[in-house]
Amino acid sequence: MKKLLAVLAGSAAALVAGCGGGGGGTAQQLAGDSASASPLAAYIGTWQSACDHHDRQTLVIAFKSDGSGALELTPTGETYFKADCSGPMVATDSMNAKITGKPDGSADMLIKLADNAAATSLRVDKITSSAPAYTFQRTGTTVQHVLRDGKNNWCVAVDNGESCMQDDGMQAAQSVPGGLSLRGNDLYTVMLDKGAYVLDMHYVKK
C-alpha cells in the first residue's frame, strides 16, 4: 500500500491511498435532493487505481448524510499475492475513521499527470479533507503482526517475499487542502505541496 489516504495526507511516507465503493444513487438520496445539484455529484461512486506491484487502491466517495454537501471519502488498500494483482487478495488496508471533504471552490490548474509529461490544464474542485484521530489497520487470514527492524509491522506473504505495512499507532487528527478533477472516467486527486497543487493519485471509475 503506497498512499492509503491520498486525498487527506498527500504523502507516500504517510502511507496514504484510495477508494472503493458503489454507485451514487443511495449516497445522494441520503444526503438529500440538494446534494444531487452539487458540482461534486460527479465524483460519487467507486474509483480504483492501477495495480502497483501487488497493491491496488480503491476510493469510495459519497455525500455525507447530514445534508451539508460535504463529501465522505473511504479509502482502502488491497494487497494481492501476485505482483500484477491477479490471483487472491491477501490483505486489506484501511483506517478506522471517515475522511470528510469540505468544498472550497474550484480553479483551473496546470498539473503534470505523469513525471515526463507537460503540464495539463485541469478544472479542480478544491476540498479541505479532514479526519479525527485515526489508526491504520491491515486484515487478512495470513496477516501477521511482527517486528521488523525494531518496529511493529503488519506483514503478509506474497509470491516474491512479503508485503509489510508499518504500524505507527494512533495518528493525530488532520485537516489538509486538496482537490478532485474529473476527465471522462478518470479521477485525479491533487494535493497542495510547497504552495502548489500537484498530482496525488489517478483512479478510474469502477
Side-chain angles (χ1 to χ4, degrees):
M1 180 180 68
K2 303 299 181 186
K3 300 178 180 178
L4 179 55
L5 304 175
V7 178
L8 174 64
S11 167
L15 292 175
V16 238
C19 65
T26 301
Q28 288 173 308
Q29 291 167 7
L30 287 172
D33 291 340
S34 60
S36 64
S38 166
L40 300 180
Y43 300 109
I44 301 302
T46 300
W47 304 86
Q48 190 174 66
S49 73
C51 178
D52 181 15
H53 193 65
H54 296 282
D55 297 325
R56 175 174 282 145
Q57 300 160 24
T58 303
L59 182 65
V60 179
I61 303 178
F63 281 115
K64 289 181 67 68
S65 59
D66 58 7
S68 65
L71 298 176
E72 185 173 85
L73 301 98
T74 306
T76 305
E78 300 169 347
T79 300
Y80 291 81
F81 185 75
K82 296 288 188 179
D84 63 358
C85 297
S86 63
M89 183 170 63
V90 293
T92 300
D93 304 326
S94 60
M95 61 184 291
N96 68 346
K98 297 289 187 181
I99 300 172
T100 295
K102 184 178 179 181
D104 188 29
S106 59
D108 293 316
M109 301 180 186
L110 288 174
I111 305 290
K112 290 183 65 173
L113 301 182
D115 289 340
N116 298 321
T120 298
S121 179
L122 292 181
R123 185 66 173 176
V124 176
D125 290 302
K126 296 190 293 181
I127 58 174
T128 299
S129 299
S130 59
Y134 61 91
T135 59
F136 292 115
Q137 50 203 9
R138 169 170 276 195
T139 57
T141 57
T142 59
V143 172
Q144 295 182 318
H145 198 256
V146 296
L147 283 177
R148 290 289 184 269
D149 298 323
K151 297 179 180 180
N152 290 319
N153 278 259
W154 286 288
C155 294
V156 63
V158 294
D159 65 348
N160 59 351
E162 65 179 5
S163 170
C164 293
M165 181 179 76
Q166 189 167 309
D167 178 7
D168 291 322
M170 184 66 68
Q171 302 294 300
Q174 297 189 48
S175 183
V176 181
L180 305 170
S181 183
L182 194 62
R183 300 181 77 186
N185 285 327
D186 293 285
L187 170 66
Y188 298 95
T189 64
V190 301
M191 63 183 184
L192 189 62
D193 181 33
K194 298 177 182 177
Y197 284 89
V198 298
L199 179 68
D200 183 21
M201 288 290 296
H202 170 219
Y203 302 94
V204 295
K205 196 71 175 282
K206 190 173 178 181

